[in-house]
Structure formats: structure tokens, C-alpha cells
Amino acid sequence: MDFQTWRETKAKPLATWAAGPASKAIVQTFARFKTRAEVRRVDIGPATVHFTIAYGVSQSVGAVLSRESDLALALGVDPDQASMAQTRRGVVLSIPSPEPYDVTRADLEDGRGLVIPLGVTADGWETYHLPFSETVTNLLIVAPTRTGKTTLLRTLIYGLAAQNSERKLQLTLVDLKGDPALGEFGNLAHLRYPIATNAADAVAVLQDLAGEVERRIANGARRPAHVFVVIDEVIALVQNRQYGQLATEALTPILTRGGGLGIFTVATTQRADKRSLSDPLIASQFVHRLVGKVASGQESALAAGQAGIDAHKLLGRGDFIAKVGGDVVRVQIAQTPAALIHK
């Protein structure tokens, strides 16, 4: 179903329900707990519905936020999939949409250069662009199985290649699982090396790139092509018994010095546990993160690098929190069909 059809057949009735019966149920639920509140605004996103709630001056924000589970139940929603947060607009209740829409690359506004369109904001339809720059050079994607990691990588890699010629941008792909969905990029003209699908090849590639860091330092003002290093399952690589130490040694100059020389790193992991994410190199060099649905609030804090992100309340299937460049944005990642990649 394309966006226009979804908007006419699904979104309009959904907006009517949200502004009518759903908002009424929210007000009535607060009333049961002697809290005066009203729904001031409703936003329909691709996978979520968001209610902005105003409350009386005599009410504390804590008392309002404490009604999260009660409101979810009143709306027929699993409390584990509902979230409430204080935002600049006020308190916002977010619930899964009963009529979700699968965002595709065709629904996004174009990007330019290193500003890559990834999806749309969860509380509306603004295209979310990932802004690689001299201050956003290393990105960690934390996404357990079946939360949308591969979809995100495909859209990111496609955007980089589509918006930049091979003269201006080179790609290095490390895919330790040999994922066929990433293997579709094997014929890209932008590839600096063949896709590395085992730890030995990954270390060889990273060692050469560490050498490229030194060459670029030596060349001074010369500005060769940007290089993007994409490592799927970086924790598995740096903790590999045989090659982990070599991988860490090669990655260190790439992560610590590469950004200022036009060498960017995008790494992923399915692991959101303390042992994995407290690795000194990972913890110190990956400030910017994209986080998919994790199992708990503790994992959310570890994955995002800060508390209060609530990634355990996400829905999976491409629903992510982007903590990039000082902003925290909930994003529905767009799908990139194979036909676009092979075009």
C-alpha cells in the first residue's frame, strides 16, 4: 500500500478515533484519579500515535506520568508498548498505531552529500536525516535481532552511495555474518575492498585503513575521498579470541583520528549488555547512537549511553531512537527495496 492510499483509507479514520474516543478515554482515566487533564494535540506517525496532554497547575508532572499503565490499558494497549515523557510541548503519551504504515525510501525527502535520509520522525512525517560531519564521525547502532538493524544498514549504505560518486566516497563493509541483504552491495563501485565476511579479512582491511590514517596525516592539506567503514557486529569482532586484539589495535587510530581526516565509522551490535558496551574503545568513541528495541530500561541506558531514553518501549520493526549531534529523536526507519540497490 502506498502512502497516499494509506492516508485516505487508514490514517483519516485513525485520526478521528484518536481525537475522539481515544482522547475521551484519556481524560476519563485521569478523572478517575482526580487529575484534571485534556488532550491538546494528536500526532499520527507511521507506527505510533502521540497524544500531547495538558494538566492542571495543581498537578505534578510526576503524578501525570505515573498514569502511563492505566492510560495504556484504557486504550487497549500493552503497557510495555506505551510510553509517557515530558517534552518541550508538554507530556506526550505514545502508543502503537492500530494501522501502521511501512515507510519506504520513496517516502523520504532527498539528502545531500553526507546528510543521509534514514526514515521519518515517529510523531509526524518529517524526514530524519543522519548528519555526518566533522563532529559526527563515529556512529554505533545497537539493535537486537529482528528490530530492524539490517533495514537501517541497507538504507544508510544506499543513501551514501546514491548521493556520492565513487570518486568522492569509498565504502568498506565488514559483515561477519555474511548477511545476504548486505551482500547485495557486493558490486558497488564505491567499495574500497571486497566485503570482508570473516575476522581475518576484517583485520586485514582495518589494518590497511589504519595505515590510510597515517598516510592522510602525512599528506597534510590534501583531501582524498571520504571513506565510510561499516562494521556489522563490531563487538563480536573486538572480542574474537584470535583476532580481537588485532582488530582493536587497528580500529583505535581509525576511531580516534580518522574523523578529522574524512574517515567515518558506522558499527553495529546486537548486544546491549554491560560487558559488551563497556568495552573501553566502544564506550569512549561512539557518542552518537541509534538504538532499537531492547529488553529493559537498564539495557536502554547502556545502549544509548544515558538514562531516560526508554528504548525498551520501542516497537521493533524499524522503530529507533536516534541520539545524534545532541538531539534525541524517535525515528521509523525506511525500507530500501532491492530494486533500488540494483538500479
Side-chain angles (χ1 to χ4, degrees):
M1 182 185 299
D2 61 28
F3 174 66
Q4 190 63 33
T5 303
W6 177 84
R7 187 170 66 175
E8 292 296 326
T9 63
K10 304 294 185 181
K12 287 185 177 180
L14 179 58
T16 300
W17 168 80
S23 292
K24 183 177 180 180
I26 290 171
V27 172
Q28 290 175 338
T29 300
F30 276 119
R32 282 199 297 116
F33 295 96
K34 297 181 171 32
T35 301
R36 291 179 56 194
E38 61 180 9
V39 176
R40 285 282 179 85
R41 171 172 170 165
V42 174
D43 293 290
I44 307 296
T48 46
V49 180
H50 306 265
F51 302 88
T52 300
I53 298 167
Y55 52 92
V57 293
S58 62
Q59 308 295 329
S60 71
V61 65
V64 173
L65 294 174
S66 70
R67 302 274 71 90
E68 178 182 283
S69 294
D70 300 296
L71 294 170
L73 293 171
L75 296 173
V77 172
D78 181 349
D80 288 338
Q81 293 190 322
S83 61
M84 288 184 78
Q86 177 74 51
T87 72
R88 284 173 290 185
R89 291 205 310 254
V91 171
V92 176
L93 168 68
S94 302
I95 65 169
S97 172
E99 297 288 355
Y101 173 72
D102 290 328
V103 180
T104 70
R105 184 62 177 75
D107 298 317
L108 308 185
E109 295 176 359
D110 290 336
R112 185 176 181 181
L114 303 185
V115 179
I116 309 301
L118 278 190
V120 298
T121 55
D123 62 351
W125 291 94
E126 293 182 11
T127 296
Y128 175 77
H129 292 89
L130 188 58
F132 289 105
S133 66
E134 291 186 358
T135 57
V136 181
T137 58
N138 302 330
L139 175 73
L140 181 65
I141 300 167
V142 184
T145 305
R146 290 188 291 276
T147 59
K149 173 170 66 75
T150 300
T151 296
L152 195 164
L153 279 180
R154 282 167 61 89
T155 297
L156 174 59
I157 295 168
Y158 170 79
L160 288 167
Q163 292 176 196
N164 299 275
S165 71
E166 57 268 33
R167 291 185 301 104
K168 294 185 177 180
L169 185 142
Q170 298 174 347
L171 283 164
T172 298
L173 303 185
V174 175
D175 176 19
L176 297 183
K177 296 191 302 179
D179 191 332
L182 297 183
E184 291 185 37
F185 293 101
N187 293 322
L188 271 182
H190 299 71
L191 287 182
R192 184 180 175 100
Y193 319 91
I195 298 175
T197 56
N198 59 67
D201 288 346
V203 166
V205 163
L206 294 175
Q207 287 174 335
D208 186 66
L209 286 172
E212 177 67 10
V213 170
E214 298 304 321
R215 290 189 289 273
R216 293 192 177 200
I217 292 172
N219 287 338
R222 286 187 57 195
R223 276 293 177 144
H226 294 298
V227 175
F228 272 78
V229 187
V230 180
I231 307 172
D232 195 15
E233 296 307 323
V234 68
I235 301 296
L237 179 61
V238 299
Q239 293 183 354
N240 182 281
R241 288 186 179 181
Q242 184 175 358
Y243 294 101
Q245 184 60 38
L246 291 172
T248 298
E249 291 172 358
L251 266 174
T252 298
I254 296 170
L255 293 173
T256 58
R257 305 172 76 183
L261 301 165
I263 300 176
F264 301 80
T265 303
V266 176
T268 80
T269 179
Q270 294 181 350
R271 305 177 189 177
D273 59 277
K274 185 174 183 179
R275 177 176 177 269
S276 299
L277 295 175
S278 61
D279 178 276
L281 187 64
I282 302 300
S284 64
Q285 297 304 316
F286 288 102
V287 175
H288 309 287
R289 302 191 178 188
L290 279 161
V291 183
K293 180 176 175 60
V294 295
S296 67
Q298 181 180 19
E299 285 195 353
S300 174
L302 287 168
Q306 72 177 67
I309 297 296
D310 287 347
H312 59 301
K313 296 281 189 175
L314 296 173
L315 305 178
R317 297 182 68 249
D319 189 14
F320 275 76
I321 298 290
K323 195 195 79 168
V324 178
D327 295 322
V328 177
V329 183
R330 188 171 178 175
V331 181
Q332 185 67 35
I333 302 299
Q335 300 177 25
T336 300
L340 266 183
I341 295 171
H342 298 298
K343 189 174 179 180

